[in-house]
Amino acid sequence: MKKLFGTDGIRGVVGKKITPLLAYRTGIAIASVVKTNTCDRPKIIVATDTRASSDCLSLSLCAGITSAGATAINAGTIPTPAVSLLTTECKADAGIMISASHNPHIYNGIKIFDSHGLKLSDELEKRAEDIISDRESASLTYDGKYYSSDMTDIYVSHLLRSNDVALRGFRIGIDTANGASYKSAPLLFKKLCGEVYFINDTPNGVNINENCGSTDVSSLKRLVKEKGLDLGLAFDGDADRLIAVDENGCEADGDAILSLCAKSLLMQGKLKGGVVGTVMSNLSLKKYCESIGVGYAEAAVGDRNVFLKMSELGYNLGGEQSGHIIFSDFSLAGDGQLSAIKLLEALSLLDIPLSHVHSSIKKYPQITVNIYADDNQKERILSSKTVINEYEKSKAALSENGKLILRASGTEPLIRIMAEAPTNEDAERVANHLKIIIESEKNK
């Protein structure tokens, strides 16, 4: 049973769960696990987003890696998907990103990729946990090497090669969330698009994701409307997510982006099989895929689970409503900037504005309710017979006309309820009923 790793690596509040000591021991653990699986002198790429705590954690992580006799290559501030790419491009044995993605600056985290650029498997995460918590010993030699190299240009060049449709006619706004894409996005989109405006691109260590980026597109909406732009693109702190804003200032989430890209790839004869969504995807995405005659499958939450389902089915497109989208012909990880390129290509090839998506994909009302719960409370509440019974009854009542998801967040101290139904009132009623049951159980 894993305790440290959630759905997307290790994550928590800096100074509490996430500490320099944890980073140091994680560096030892990953170097030790990789040694066992690959070679005696593994090479590990380390990168960060723009959080104030990232340098401290990065240095501690690299100290752990070199203590275990491996080579640490500090790639600086780059997006999470860049680490996945660079791990394979540079023939590294692992890649580690220090980031808490879309969370505020007081959080940080450690995301780990294997030599193929994939998120670490459950088996390897468990082995790493055993070393981190001293349940398994690690051999320390203190003779590893450390190098520093900015790899932004390599990553941007890869993204430019993924583009094969002229995009110079677009006038766009980009919100980098004061995060990891603040360097790469200008290099990329100024080359691709005709007119580009950037906001939230001056990180100071504490403003990452603060009222900006993919979790808050209000400032991007204002920019698009004030400048009369074709659309806006918002990334999160580590730039593995994309949320878009149409020319009217309306939001287009991951489901909407997936639907447009599916149609574009289908039209080009490049779509393999269909689309993978998650249990949190809106039912409208499934119905849209059925309407254009392509397959649709659901995976558990998390881009690693999406990729595994894509690999199982042979699909090359999948993603999450939150904006993690995987184009596996170009990247094995969710990549906000790659997704932006493919969205712009789709709009160009289909010759439609982004607002067109709202008429082609009719969303079912969704209500998401978050309830604070620490790890012990999560386990107790979600194993409660009362909660399980009420959840099953409510889920059965919705039948095929809706969806009810109850899960523990893998990145935050929250239990999440997502209810989807034909009407907003129905969704609210189901979500709030389950919330009352859970809060009652929590207070016992």
Side-chain angles (χ1 to χ4, degrees):
M1 186 86 175
K2 293 186 299 176
K3 295 292 185 182
L4 278 176
F5 286 85
T7 54
D8 199 10
I10 304 170
R11 194 175 303 186
V13 175
V14 176
K16 293 183 179 179
K17 182 175 180 178
I18 305 297
T19 64
L21 179 58
L22 174 67
Y24 173 69
R25 292 203 59 80
T26 301
I28 292 172
I30 298 307
S32 301
V33 167
V34 171
K35 268 187 181 182
T36 306
N37 278 339
T38 55
C39 62
D40 290 335
R41 293 284 180 177
K43 180 169 65 174
I44 300 173
I45 292 174
V46 177
T48 72
D49 65 19
T50 58
R51 293 162 209 272
S53 60
S54 289
D55 285 346
C56 168
L57 295 171
S58 173
L59 290 170
S60 299
L61 186 70
C62 289
I65 291 168
T66 54
S67 293
T71 297
I73 302 173
N74 186 342
T77 299
I78 53 176
T80 290
V83 177
S84 169
L85 168 75
L86 292 167
T87 301
T88 56
E89 290 268 316
C90 300
K91 295 182 171 56
D93 299 285
I96 304 177
M97 179 69 180
I98 297 174
S99 173
S101 191
H102 62 286
N103 295 135
H105 81 277
I106 61 170
Y107 289 84
N108 217 325
I110 303 172
K111 303 182 181 186
I112 305 163
F113 296 89
D114 66 18
S115 60
H116 304 292
L118 299 172
K119 295 282 178 70
L120 213 60
S121 68
D122 285 333
E123 178 190 354
L124 291 183
E125 283 183 348
K126 179 63 173 65
R127 285 180 57 196
E129 277 199 12
D130 287 343
I131 295 172
I132 293 167
S133 46
D134 274 334
R135 287 191 296 268
E136 183 180 324
S137 62
S139 174
L140 301 184
T141 59
Y142 306 105
D143 61 350
K145 304 295 183 183
Y146 174 87
Y147 302 98
S148 182
S149 175
D150 188 331
M151 299 184 178
T152 303
D153 287 342
I154 300 174
Y155 172 59
V156 170
S157 295
H158 170 79
L159 292 177
L160 287 170
R161 289 194 299 272
S162 76
N163 170 238
D164 56 8
V165 176
L167 304 176
R168 298 299 299 175
F170 281 104
R171 300 176 64 248
I172 64 173
I174 293 180
D175 183 343
T176 70
N178 292 312
S181 63
Y182 86 99
K183 287 193 300 182
S184 57
L187 291 174
L188 176 64
F189 291 99
K190 284 180 180 179
K191 289 183 180 179
L192 290 176
C193 298
E195 194 173 336
V196 190
Y197 297 87
F198 291 91
I199 57 172
N200 302 311
D201 57 342
T202 53
N204 62 14
V206 299
N207 61 358
I208 185 170
N209 299 314
E210 186 178 38
N211 303 317
C212 62
S214 63
T215 54
D216 186 346
V217 294
S218 53
S219 58
L220 184 60
K221 288 180 178 181
R222 288 193 296 271
L223 175 69
V224 169
K225 295 180 79 172
E226 287 169 6
K227 299 288 186 182
L229 304 179
D230 296 315
L231 71 157
L233 305 167
F235 309 123
D236 64 332
D238 68 337
D240 61 355
R241 297 186 185 200
L242 169 68
I243 296 293
V245 171
D246 72 21
E247 72 278 11
N248 301 317
C250 297
E251 183 176 323
D253 64 13
D255 289 345
I257 295 167
L258 278 168
S259 69
L260 286 172
C261 291
K263 187 171 184 179
S264 169
L265 291 173
L266 180 66
M267 185 177 75
Q268 298 173 75
K270 295 180 179 179
L271 185 67
K272 297 173 185 174
V275 176
V276 172
T278 74
V279 293
M280 300 294 283
S281 298
N282 197 280
L283 278 171
S284 58
L285 178 60
K286 177 183 178 182
K287 292 183 179 295
Y288 179 77
C289 288
E290 290 171 349
S291 74
I292 62 172
V294 303
Y296 178 79
E298 283 187 349
V301 171
D303 59 348
R304 181 179 67 172
N305 296 318
V306 171
F307 179 77
L308 289 173
K309 180 64 73 172
M310 289 169 64
S311 299
E312 176 191 326
L313 298 173
Y315 289 7
N316 63 343
L317 177 63
E320 300 186 275
Q321 190 181 66
S322 60
H324 288 123
I325 300 174
I326 300 174
F327 295 85
S328 60
D329 291 339
F330 303 97
S331 176
L332 304 184
D335 188 327
Q337 291 176 99
L338 174 63
S339 299
I341 292 171
K342 294 306 169 186
L343 172 61
L344 291 170
E345 288 181 354
L347 295 174
S348 179
L349 290 168
L350 297 172
D351 194 23
I352 56 172
L354 180 56
S355 60
H356 183 83
V357 74
H358 304 305
S359 59
S360 62
I361 179 168
K362 301 291 187 181
K363 284 192 171 293
Y364 282 55
Q366 280 186 343
I367 300 294
T368 300
V369 175
N370 294 321
I371 303 163
Y372 180 84
D374 61 29
D375 288 343
N376 290 331
Q377 289 171 325
K378 286 179 183 178
E379 188 173 351
R380 179 172 60 82
I381 291 168
L382 294 180
S383 61
S384 160
K385 289 184 178 180
T386 301
V387 172
I388 292 170
N389 289 339
E390 289 298 328
Y391 166 68
E392 293 295 343
K393 282 167 56 179
S394 298
K395 188 176 179 181
L398 286 171
S399 187
E400 294 182 0
N401 295 315
K403 186 186 293 186
L404 182 63
I405 305 296
L406 174 63
R407 68 182 185 91
S409 170
T411 59
E412 296 175 87
L414 299 171
I415 289 175
R416 301 192 193 279
I417 303 168
M418 191 281 283
E420 183 176 318
T423 69
N424 200 63
E425 292 76 14
D426 287 339
E428 282 186 350
R429 175 177 48 78
V430 172
N432 288 330
H433 170 71
L434 197 53
K435 178 186 177 184
I436 291 169
I437 300 298
I438 288 172
E439 287 181 335
S440 174
E441 190 68 24
K442 178 183 171 182
N443 294 327
K444 284 183 178 179

